[in-house]
Structure formats: C-alpha cells, structure tokens
Amino acid sequence: MIQAFRAEILSISRDPGTDPEAVRHEPDGLLVIEDGVVAARGPYAELSGRYAQVPVETLPGLVVPGFVDAHVHYPQTDRIAAHGEQLLDWLERHIFPAEKAFVDKAHADAVATFFLDELLRNGTTSALVYPTVHAQSVDALFEAALHRDMRLISGKVLMDLGPDGLKDTVASGREQSEALIRRWRSVGRLGYAITPRFALASSDAQLADAGVLLAEHPDVLMHTHLAENLRECGEVAARFPEAADYLDVYDRFGLVTNRSIFAHGIHLPDRACGRLGQSGAGIAVCPSSNLFLGSGCFDFAQAERHGLRLGLGTDIGAGTTFSLLHTQGLAYQAAQAKGTTLDPFRALWLATAGSADLLHIGDRVGSLEPGQEADFLVLDPQATPLLARRTRHADLAERLFALQVLGDDRAVARTYLLGRCAWNRDMK
Ligand code: GUN
Ligand code: ZN
C-alpha cells in the first residue's frame, strides 16, 4: 500500500550540536510511505509529480518523527505524583507496594493497555520500558505492544535483594530472563533488555550473572539506573568500597558495554564519564524525574566533553509527565540550572534520533529518512490560546521552543505507527 502525506516536516538525524547539517526541514513537504516504511521524502513541489497517482492527505501541523522514551516504568503509572520523598524512601513507600500488584497478570494487562495508549496520546511511538520483577509483567507489556505494532524494548527486572513479594533469585532471574528472550526475540517490533534494577537491589552474584547473560546474548541491551541520588550513591560506595565509583560497580560485573543504557547519571566523576564515552554506553536523561525527586540536574556540558551518547526519558512515575515534548522543555530548564543551554533542535534530536540511537533502533526509527519505519506525529502549534499567540509570528526555532516549553499532550494532534493513524486528538 502506498500513502502520501503533505505537511511541514522536521527531523534531526544526528546531534545538531556537532553537526548542524543534521537538521532536515521541508516547509511544504511530501512524505511517501510504502507498506509502513518511508519510501520518499522531500519538497512537495519536487516530489508530487512522481507520485501523481497517489492520493495525498494534508496533515494539520508540524510533522516530526515519533518520540522515543529512553527510560520509563509502566508499573508506576498509577503512582505518579506521590508526595514527599527522595529516591530510596519514595521506592519503599510508594513504588514497591504498587509493583507487588503485578504478580496478577490481569492487573498488568490493564495497566499496560492504559500506559501504551497514554504513550501514543503523547506522541511516543517507541520506548525502553521497566516492567517489574514478575515475568508476567513483561508478557503483559509485550502482548499489548505487539497488538499495537509498536517498537518497544523491555526485560524482566532483576532484584534478588528486593522486598518480600518483589524479589527473585539468581537462578529464577536467569531462567525467566532466558525464557523471555526466547519467547519474545524477533517477535514483531519488540526487543529485549537485561534489566538489573540498580546496584543496591541485586547481590554480587546476580550482577555477575546479568553480565554473563549480556555477553551470551549479543542482540539484547542492558538497562539500569546509575548515580541518580546522593544517598543512593553513598550506599553504593559503602557496599562496594573496592569500586572506583558507581559506574565501576557495573563495570566489574561486565555491565558497561555499547549496549548498556543507564538512566540519570546525575552524580558522575569525570573518570566514569570517560569510561562511558570509551565503552559506547549511554545515558537516558530524565529531567522531569530528577526535578520531582530532588535528585539534581544532568550536566550536559560534562557529557559533551566526554562525547557521551544521550537520549531522553520521562522516567514515569518519578517523572511527572508522559509528554516527551514537555520533557524537552524541562531538559532546557535543567541545563539552565547547570549554567548551560540546550538548543531546541538538539532537544528534539534527544527525544527522537538521539534516543533511537541509544536504544540501537536508530536504523529503523527516529529521523523519518527513506527506509525507516513511518512512525511520526503531528504537532499543533495552535493547540492552546497561549501557544497560538506565542507562535503566530515565530520562525521554526522559536515555534519549536515554544512547543517544548508550553506544549504537552494537547499539542499532539495525531500519532502514526507504520503510516497508520494510532491516535487522533480531534476524533476522540
Ligand atoms: N532506582 C531504582 N529503582 C528506581 C525506580 O523505580 N525509579 C527511579 N527513578 N530510580 C530507581
Ligand atoms: Zn527509572
């Protein structure tokens, strides 16, 4: 099937901080899709003649690649906006009790359904997702993602030091991870990530086993948390006195590779950043979560000095918004708090091709280049009276920045998966 969409189109395939040529913008563009894949893209005036026989649908707004959430917890959907604590107390008081409920597959199914619909409503078409320690929580998420044909990556959480009702063992963690990899690898658009919760939730034996599992499966990723909160960092240093720093704990267990994605990385010494850069591992930056839990602000300048691979995550439910558009605006504010600035095109890149590259799916999604899967959304710069007023005489950079600072789910007019409309705000 061939489809053609006429719209203003914007994508950023590489970090525009280092490569300004990476910004691709067609003020009046044509996007041609064949069987869910981008077949051609360019100025309408140049391309339309070649596809004269294909009916053209005009889209009402700015088309950008679907957002890619590089770090989010679906079981925490119902604990967003839990008041009062920083990371370790927040986990004990609000999160662990909620995650225990995912022993029930029907509960996991219901939350996964709401969660994926909410991603699509916010323009997020791909994500790297934490489930819980329960294998059935992975099945629930993958079944729901397969049903929607979303490109999604997840993997059972390993946490043999977790609280009662939320812990596995080294043996059960391995056995269930291997069974899930066998069951879900190469199914639809799904991918697997070995997911030790964080250094404090696993024994040395489980961390070592996660490293072995990662080495045995070259097609899977590794996903965990790193240096998010000062008390957490203190407890890690106390438990692992022989490690040079928090990253080195993971490194000693074979968990620092170019397939490793670490959420946060707020409190990192230069040594750890150097090692991250050298290994090709990357960081999912989660500004909404970092502000909400009082964790700190990501140091973009330090990351740039070390050439770190970066993406953007909401980290629901420490994050307070499903909107990666709004999260781009918060990333700007977090950068400001550290005395640096974040260009709006770079922020959009972080939420699209940056995250996609981090998740090793950048060849499939993230920049709407010919050959890529046609996951995209339509942004509406007139979504609210304030946005309409602020953008009425604005150039592209100003419009994009206003959308990032003032916009959220209200500004997502439509979301497309493989060229098929999966969310239409105006046809609820
Ligand atoms: N560190 C370990 N577990 C978690 C979690 O669920 N959320 C966040 N933000 N950090 C963590
Ligand atoms: Zn997290």
Side-chain angles (χ1 to χ4, degrees):
M1 181 176 70
I2 299 201
Q3 301 161 276
F5 295 102
R6 182 176 183 175
E8 178 178 3
I9 308 172
L10 171 67
S11 68
I12 301 149
S13 53
R14 297 174 301 283
D15 185 350
T18 47
D19 183 0
E21 301 285 299
V23 177
R24 181 168 177 186
H25 178 228
E26 285 103 10
D28 179 15
L30 190 70
L31 182 66
V32 181
I33 297 166
E34 194 164 352
D35 297 328
V37 172
V38 178
R41 171 182 160 190
Y44 178 81
E46 282 176 27
L47 266 190
S48 57
R50 219 195 304 161
Y51 293 95
Q53 78 290 2
V54 182
V56 175
E57 183 179 349
T58 299
L59 294 176
L62 174 65
V63 166
V64 296
F67 296 141
V68 179
D69 194 334
H71 178 72
V72 57
H73 300 246
Y74 96 85
Q76 299 178 10
T77 300
D78 292 324
R79 297 309 301 163
I80 281 179
H83 182 266
E85 271 92 19
Q86 290 211 349
L87 177 65
L88 298 177
D89 295 320
W90 171 82
L91 285 173
E92 294 281 342
R93 174 151 172 222
H94 299 291
I95 297 307
F96 291 160
E99 292 195 5
K100 285 179 189 174
F102 285 71
V103 68
D104 175 6
K105 173 73 163 36
H107 176 69
D109 287 335
V111 178
T113 296
F114 178 87
F115 171 82
L116 293 184
D117 288 346
E118 196 64 12
L119 289 191
L120 292 172
R121 238 172 46 72
N122 281 276
T124 297
T125 50
S126 286
L128 174 59
V129 187
Y130 260 68
T132 64
V133 72
H134 313 98
Q136 58 271 36
S137 75
V138 184
D139 288 331
L141 181 70
F142 278 159
E143 285 163 13
L146 189 62
H147 179 67
R148 288 163 182 72
D149 219 350
M150 288 176 78
R151 186 162 283 291
L152 204 108
I153 303 167
S154 187
K156 181 202 124 59
V157 177
L158 301 168
M159 46 189 301
D160 65 337
L161 299 183
D164 284 346
L166 209 59
K167 66 173 153 200
D168 53 5
T169 64
V170 177
S172 72
R174 161 168 283 259
E175 195 184 305
Q176 291 176 0
S177 299
E178 283 181 330
L180 287 163
I181 292 170
R182 273 197 305 276
R183 186 173 319 148
W184 291 109
R185 103 165 359 126
S186 322
V187 174
R189 305 170 80 198
L190 306 176
Y192 198 86
I194 295 162
T195 309
R197 181 168 209 126
F198 68 154
L200 296 178
S202 289
S203 64
D204 289 23
Q206 186 167 61
L207 291 169
D209 205 52
V212 172
L213 204 51
L214 184 64
E216 286 172 357
H217 294 284
D219 56 335
V220 310
L221 302 179
M222 198 291 297
H223 183 200
T224 192
H225 295 94
L226 171 69
E228 174 180 6
N229 168 280
L230 284 175
R231 202 180 117 208
E232 170 209 15
C233 292
E235 293 197 14
V236 169
R239 180 172 147 199
F240 300 97
E242 68 289 358
D245 49 48
Y246 197 156
L247 183 77
D248 194 41
V249 172
Y250 293 130
D251 217 355
R252 284 160 179 258
F253 295 112
L255 294 170
V256 180
T257 74
N258 66 348
R259 291 179 282 131
S260 306
I261 294 120
F262 296 100
H264 307 297
I266 300 287
H267 308 285
L268 289 177
D270 275 328
R271 190 217 71 85
C273 286
R275 173 66 185 132
L276 280 172
Q278 179 227 5
S279 66
I283 294 185
V285 181
C286 306
S288 157
S289 161
N290 300 154
L291 290 168
F292 182 72
L293 289 181
S295 304
C297 290
F298 184 73
D299 191 339
F300 283 98
Q302 184 191 36
E304 208 162 312
R305 280 200 305 280
H306 293 279
L308 300 192
R309 297 171 62 223
L310 301 180
L312 196 64
T314 61
D315 193 28
I316 295 294
T320 52
T321 176
F322 273 81
S323 171
L324 271 181
L325 180 64
H326 187 58
T327 304
Q328 293 165 50
L330 294 175
Y332 171 82
Q333 296 179 32
Q336 289 284 81
K338 289 291 232 185
T340 50
T341 191
L342 182 63
D343 176 87
F345 295 107
R346 185 154 196 251
L348 178 62
W349 166 77
L350 277 175
T352 55
S355 281
D357 285 342
L358 184 67
L359 272 49
H360 291 247
I361 54 175
D363 56 333
R364 319 302 281 273
V365 295
S367 41
L368 275 183
E369 290 292 331
Q372 285 209 329
E373 295 158 355
D375 290 354
F376 59 93
L377 64 139
V378 184
L379 289 172
D380 175 7
Q382 279 151 14
T384 68
L386 181 60
L387 260 173
R389 190 177 174 87
R390 181 64 183 86
T391 59
R392 72 197 143 157
H393 306 302
D395 65 13
L396 176 65
E398 261 188 300
R399 249 187 310 144
L400 181 60
F401 188 54
L403 278 162
Q404 292 166 341
V405 175
L406 303 174
D408 49 30
D409 54 329
R410 294 167 296 174
V412 176
R414 298 190 197 170
T415 305
Y416 286 78
L417 291 172
L418 297 170
R420 176 180 52 80
C421 188
W423 163 250
N424 185 334
R425 181 193 62 186
D426 304 318
M427 287 179 57
K428 288 185 278 221

